[in-house]
Amino acid sequence: MNKSLEKEVDKNTLSVCVITKNEADRIRKCLDSVKHLADEIVVLDSGSTDNTVEIVKEYTDKVWVTDWPGFGPQKQRCLEKATKDWVLFIDADESLDKTAQDALKKLLAQETIEEVAFTIKWGVVRHGKMLKHGRSGRSPLRLFIREGSSFTPVQVHEKVIHPEGKIGRLPGILLHYTARDYGHALEKNIKYAWLGSHKYFERGKRNRSMLVVLLRAFWTFLNIYIFRGGFLDGRIGFIVAMNYAQGNFNKHTGLWLLSQQEKGKNKDF
């Protein structure tokens, strides 16, 4: 029996989907926040070398270890193993706060749900502080009707494609513990930047100017720190805005290098 089937039966059933790799230090907080809401928990692990899989099996029997085809394809694989009416896709470094848990429980108990998907306000936690501004002040779409939904098949920054209809906003906060420490933040920054370079290149985008690279990074900092109010998050807000600018610089520098290599000018840039 699926260990996630310990909740009361609601009018609408829920699959909680998670993809993992080496998340032993964070996965319990994630799953503890949803285990009483889920009719099933579906986990795809891409080769953890810690005890992530063993921990996950305490919560569910629906666990598969796979290769890594990229974020979009992996989430699509996970979605295809879900069987319930609704899907909550949550990352291993995220958890629902109490308000969001109560709101989701109330929603699932409704006779009918008019919406086809819901966004949830992000509460990004960096270096011990929950950020409320900058790019952290977003509401990602994580809850959606299963039938007719899919993920875009991209390596990074995948999106949910769902049936046409009303999109609601679930009360509460989706807490996102995005980095274990500053070193981990830098590692993620580099990883996502290089993936972004290839994503743009494969879509046919090219960059011929390093001046554009510099201006994009400068604009990213201004947009996040000034226009989106990142300065209101104090010193951590400044650090995060700089990290985003650095990531943008790395991504477009990578695209510039790929563009130069395509032209055969990789001997002397």
Side-chain angles (χ1 to χ4, degrees):
M1 178 182 290
N2 190 332
K3 297 181 178 64
S4 61
L5 298 179
E6 298 175 355
K7 53 165 277 187
E8 298 178 3
V9 177
D10 290 316
K11 298 287 193 305
N12 304 276
T13 55
L14 178 70
S15 299
V16 172
C17 292
V18 192
I19 62 172
T20 60
K21 183 175 182 180
N22 293 333
E23 297 287 354
D25 59 328
R26 305 191 288 188
I27 192 62
R28 286 190 189 278
K29 181 180 290 187
C30 170
L31 297 181
D32 282 341
S33 76
V34 297
K35 64 182 182 181
H36 60 294
L37 302 167
D39 293 279
E40 66 177 4
I41 296 175
V42 181
V43 178
L44 260 65
D45 184 88
S46 55
S48 291
T49 55
D50 60 10
N51 63 332
T52 297
V53 173
E54 288 73 15
I55 293 173
V56 168
K57 286 181 178 179
E58 297 175 17
Y59 295 83
T60 179
D61 298 326
K62 294 194 171 186
V63 186
W64 289 267
V65 178
T66 74
D67 61 342
W68 177 249
F71 284 97
Q74 187 76 331
K75 287 189 175 182
Q76 180 62 30
R77 285 175 174 175
C78 195
L79 176 59
E80 289 172 358
K81 294 184 179 297
T83 63
K84 305 306 177 182
D85 303 328
W86 285 81
V87 173
L88 173 67
F89 235 103
I90 187 169
D91 290 342
D93 59 358
E94 296 174 335
S95 63
L96 295 180
D97 76 349
K98 184 62 164 57
T99 300
Q101 292 175 35
D102 292 344
L104 182 51
K105 182 175 179 60
K106 183 178 179 180
L107 177 71
L108 294 171
Q110 291 180 191
E111 191 67 35
T112 58
I113 300 176
E114 296 180 356
E115 296 84 354
V116 298
F118 289 83
T119 61
I120 309 175
K121 183 175 176 57
W122 232 358
V124 177
V125 180
R126 286 286 297 270
H127 314 302
K129 180 181 179 64
M130 188 169 80
L131 306 178
K132 299 180 180 179
H133 306 282
R135 287 198 67 189
S136 302
R138 292 183 288 170
S139 298
L141 192 152
R142 295 299 186 82
L143 178 65
F144 52 91
I145 194 166
R146 180 182 62 83
E147 192 68 32
S149 295
S150 62
F151 281 92
T152 53
V154 294
Q155 290 290 306
V156 66
H157 298 145
E158 67 291 341
K159 294 182 179 179
V160 178
I161 302 173
H162 54 75
E164 291 187 8
K166 182 179 178 182
I167 299 177
R169 173 80 169 269
L170 190 75
I173 295 176
L174 177 65
L175 295 166
H176 184 200
Y177 301 91
T178 179
R180 296 177 174 93
D181 51 36
Y182 192 63
H184 184 219
L186 293 177
E187 290 175 9
K188 291 183 66 175
N189 196 316
I190 294 169
K191 174 183 176 181
Y192 281 99
W194 188 229
L195 286 172
S197 300
H198 282 277
K199 176 183 174 181
Y200 282 177
F201 189 78
E202 290 166 4
R203 287 183 172 181
K205 294 186 178 182
R206 299 295 183 266
N207 185 4
R208 309 299 186 191
S209 171
M210 282 302 295
L211 177 60
V212 171
V213 173
L214 182 61
L215 290 176
R216 283 183 177 274
F218 182 64
W219 165 249
T220 297
F221 177 80
L222 284 180
N223 186 35
I224 292 175
Y225 192 65
I226 303 298
F227 300 123
R228 293 195 181 189
F231 65 92
L232 296 172
D233 286 321
R235 288 172 291 184
I236 301 301
F238 175 79
I239 292 171
V240 171
M242 286 296 294
N243 286 165
Y244 273 115
Q246 181 184 41
N248 195 284
F249 177 84
N250 291 337
K251 178 172 63 179
H252 288 282
T253 295
L255 180 61
W256 183 83
L257 289 166
L258 291 171
S259 301
Q260 293 296 311
Q261 290 170 6
E262 182 182 55
K263 292 175 62 178
K265 294 183 177 180
N266 57 337
K267 291 184 179 180
D268 183 9
F269 296 161

